[in-house]
Amino acid sequence: MTDVAAAGESKREEKEADHHPYYRPKDAATLILVDRSHTTPKVLVGKRHDNVVFMPGKFVFPGGRVDQADNRVPVAASIPQELEANLLKGSPKITASRARSLAVAAIREACEETGLCLGRKTDRAAPKLDGPWRPFTDAGLLPDPSGLFLIARAITPPGRIKRFDTRFFTADASAITHRVEGVIHPDAELVELVWVELGSKPLADLHPMTKNVLGELEKRLATGPLRHDAPVPFFHFYGGKMQKDVLGA
């Protein structure tokens, strides 16, 4: 889980962080899983362990930085062209392979942190995957990014030691095809998983930036099925203030 462009740490911490030199943000991805089978959509959040340094006891979404190997992982289906186009918008520019890596990283982080894996069986013989991808091999699956939608992009303010250029993805809960048992337990990074309604109390304590993204997701869901041609907001800091632009505008 990254601090995903958040302005949600205490003001004192932000002031101290202002003394750090410029650090280039690292590409990262966050996945917000949505259950739309109810009148009010629910999103999946995990509760962090009380003893972790960053955001102890807080509810978060799974996410983290892109790994070098993410681009080399075989997938069950390519990312949609419309999703790739959205990921290529904005600055700094990235390549198509990097766009793919971002989508794949969102799936990997979700599986690692929650035990919920978005994959699909394929007609061809699936290669054996190791490391964080081992659960997919065990289940006879390949990761499937074809059901992801880009909701927002956000960059951590300058002056932080850790900076991330995070793409926030969402996917429907029906895309979950495998569950790894034992990932969530009292000594894990996430000690509990909860499906909570949009606008409910557990979401009120999220990072302000993450709440901004959830607000965008809620507006998108209110208009009907998710679409790739909807405007994608880009949250970043300029002149000491948070700016909200639209990617590609």
Side-chain angles (χ1 to χ4, degrees), residues 194-210:
V194 187
W195 289 97
V196 294
E197 291 186 350
L198 285 172
S200 61
K201 186 176 180 180
L203 302 180
D205 203 26
L206 295 174
H207 274 189
M209 184 60 72
T210 308

Side-chain angles (χ1 to χ4, degrees), residues 6-195:
E9 293 175 291
S10 71
K11 291 183 178 180
R12 176 173 177 271
E13 287 173 324
E14 288 185 353
K15 186 174 181 180
E16 289 175 349
D18 288 342
H19 297 289
H20 293 294
Y22 176 83
Y23 289 95
R24 183 178 179 180
K26 305 292 186 181
D27 282 331
T30 290
L31 182 59
I32 304 174
L33 291 166
V34 184
D35 180 358
R36 288 180 282 181
S37 63
H38 306 272
T39 303
T40 302
K42 296 182 177 182
V43 293
L44 183 70
V45 292
K47 186 177 183 182
R48 286 175 63 77
H49 197 287
D50 287 334
N51 293 334
V52 297
V53 175
F54 183 67
M55 295 181 64
K58 302 292 186 182
F59 284 100
V60 298
F61 296 104
R65 62 179 293 178
V66 174
D67 286 347
Q68 288 185 346
D70 288 334
N71 185 48
R72 299 191 295 272
V73 173
V75 294
S78 300
I79 68 172
Q81 290 183 349
E82 300 89 348
L83 174 59
E84 179 183 286
N86 280 335
L87 289 166
L88 295 178
K89 293 176 181 176
S91 181
K93 298 295 184 182
I94 62 170
T95 63
S97 63
R98 196 61 170 175
R100 179 186 185 279
S101 294
L102 285 160
V104 171
I107 293 175
R108 174 180 51 74
E109 288 287 339
C111 189
E112 282 186 296
E113 296 184 3
T114 69
L116 302 178
C117 307
L118 279 63
R120 191 198 308 175
K121 293 184 182 294
T122 62
D123 295 333
R124 63 186 186 275
K128 292 186 177 180
L129 305 177
D130 257 328
W133 298 104
R134 181 63 183 270
F136 289 83
T137 294
D138 292 344
L141 304 171
L142 286 177
D144 182 9
S146 63
L148 299 184
F149 291 83
L150 183 65
I151 298 299
R153 177 182 176 184
I155 298 182
T156 310
R160 305 285 184 87
I161 293 179
K162 292 184 178 181
R163 300 187 68 214
F164 297 95
D165 186 347
T166 303
R167 281 69 165 188
F168 291 84
F169 297 90
T170 191
D172 195 85
S174 61
I176 301 168
T177 53
H178 180 60
R179 179 188 294 268
V180 182
E181 300 298 334
V183 173
I184 305 299
H185 57 82
D187 295 320
E189 181 180 344
L190 297 183
V191 299
E192 181 183 6
L193 288 180
V194 187
W195 289 97

